[in-house]
Amino acid sequence: MQVPILKQGAYLIASIQSALSDADLMQLRDALVAKVSTFRSRGVIVDVTVLDVMDSFASRTLRDLVHMIKLRGAVTVIVGIQPEVAFAMVQLGLTLEGVATALDLEEGLAYLDQTTTRKVSAPRDG
């Protein structure tokens, strides 16, 4: 299933609409990394609100996605992890270490505004 990716100013928002297969997750990862380059996006939000299960492959793919986008110069935040999903992930030892998370889309946008503003205004080395 194709995940819609919306452009909102300098940000991209990928809102997952239903459970994704492993192939769908990899397609989402590749599409987001490509669109960050195409649109020169400063931030990405991945909304996982509808997911009621997150297995080890999904966790690893999301973590990899965040690191790939970071290497392209953008910031990513995962929003909408349901309480039951968070509980199960902790019980299974699945982590999103090094990945920014937020409660919902509104907090995710606020996080990106704060993070990318600071990043843009910081002096560059070299």
Side-chain angles (χ1 to χ4, degrees), residues 9 11-12 18 26 35 38 49 73 77 97 109:
Y11 305 141
L12 295 175
S18 63
M26 292 188 311
K35 286 188 185 267
T38 300
T49 303
V77 60
E97 196 169 325
L109 286 167

Side-chain angles (χ1 to χ4, degrees), residues 4-126:
I5 301 172
L6 307 172
K7 184 178 182 312
Q8 178 68 38
Y11 305 141
L12 295 175
I13 301 171
S15 184
I16 297 173
Q17 307 288 314
S18 63
L20 299 176
S21 69
D22 292 353
D24 293 334
L25 281 166
M26 292 188 311
Q27 182 181 23
L28 172 62
R29 179 198 64 199
D30 297 344
L32 274 172
V33 172
K35 286 188 185 267
V36 164
S37 298
T38 300
F39 295 120
R40 303 181 63 82
S41 300
R42 292 189 335 224
V44 175
I45 293 176
V46 180
D47 185 352
V48 298
T49 303
V50 301
L51 296 183
D52 56 0
V53 173
M54 196 168 315
D55 63 12
S56 61
F57 184 81
S59 299
R60 186 174 63 250
T61 303
L62 286 174
R63 192 174 54 238
D64 291 348
L65 164 76
V66 170
H67 294 298
M68 288 176 185
I69 290 173
K70 183 177 182 180
L71 288 170
R72 297 296 302 143
V75 177
T76 306
V77 60
I78 308 295
V79 302
I81 297 175
Q82 296 298 322
E84 302 81 21
V85 174
F87 180 78
M89 288 175 70
V90 169
Q91 293 298 313
L92 295 170
L94 304 175
T95 66
L96 291 175
E97 196 169 325
V99 175
T101 58
L103 185 60
D104 56 24
L105 183 60
E106 185 177 352
E107 285 191 16
L109 286 167
Y111 174 83
L112 288 180
D113 286 343
Q114 180 183 22
T115 306
T116 59
T117 301
R118 191 171 344 126
K119 182 178 171 183
V120 168
S121 63
R124 295 185 178 210
D125 292 336

